[in-house]
Amino acid sequence: MMREYKTEDTDALISIWDTAEPLAHPFLSDEVRKQVREDTRNIYLPNAETWVLEIDGAPAGFIAMIGTEIGGLFLDPSEQGKGRGRHMVDHIVAIKGPLTVEVFKDNKIGLPFYERYGFVITGEGVFDASGDETFKMAMPTS
């Protein structure tokens, strides 16, 4: 079940982030990871349009939106590969229509996920905090 984020979800979502993020971004330094974790807790979760995936009444993942851009999508590793990420994106697409995302070129989990979903590369960028290269991706509109 997808539902809107509540402040009391923060610790559970940060716990999910703590287990999922290093799998997706093993190339980030501990210093960058620490800053992104702090920003996720204090800036992104409370200010983005965040949706929570609940399984058996407990948070199992979340997707944070900034307009029609996916700012972050994290899923408990035990739930990966079960269609849960697709379910989260499907939920947002039903509300907002075609989406965009910026994903690290070296993200061996997220990049293939978005490609399988049908996102296409529309440009390149750089994550300022680390200098890592990114792909800007979008869902085709037709």
Side-chain angles (χ1 to χ4, degrees):
M1 173 187 91
M2 293 292 294
R3 63 166 175 78
E4 292 185 55
Y5 164 80
K6 299 180 284 198
T7 305
E8 54 267 26
D9 293 323
T10 301
D11 288 343
L13 299 190
I14 291 297
S15 179
I16 291 166
W17 187 91
D18 284 340
T19 58
E21 189 279 337
L23 298 176
H25 311 136
F27 45 85
L28 291 179
S29 70
D30 289 342
E31 180 181 322
V32 169
R33 183 170 285 117
K34 181 180 175 188
Q35 184 61 54
V36 173
R37 183 184 194 274
E38 186 176 308
D39 291 347
T40 298
R41 174 182 288 280
N42 299 319
I43 298 169
Y44 305 138
L45 288 176
N47 293 303
E49 178 187 343
T50 302
W51 290 81
V52 176
L53 172 69
E54 268 191 6
I55 299 173
D56 297 328
F62 65 95
I63 184 169
M65 300 298 303
I66 302 154
T68 58
E69 181 176 0
I70 299 171
L73 187 161
F74 292 92
L75 182 61
D76 186 292
S78 69
E79 296 298 332
Q80 292 177 6
K82 299 179 181 179
R84 310 278 196 207
R86 176 171 288 277
H87 174 74
M88 288 193 284
V89 175
D90 286 347
H91 180 81
I92 301 301
V93 169
I95 296 168
K96 296 183 172 282
L99 305 175
T100 62
V101 67
E102 189 167 3
V103 62
F104 288 110
K105 287 183 179 182
D106 291 333
N107 183 335
K108 305 294 187 220
I109 296 172
L111 182 57
F113 168 79
Y114 291 116
E115 289 174 331
R116 282 191 309 272
Y117 196 96
F119 284 74
V120 294
I121 295 169
T122 59
E124 297 184 9
V126 173
F127 183 56
D128 291 337
S130 66
D132 289 283
E133 295 178 328
T134 62
F135 284 128
K136 296 172 192 266
M137 302 181 80
M139 298 175 74
T141 55
S142 59

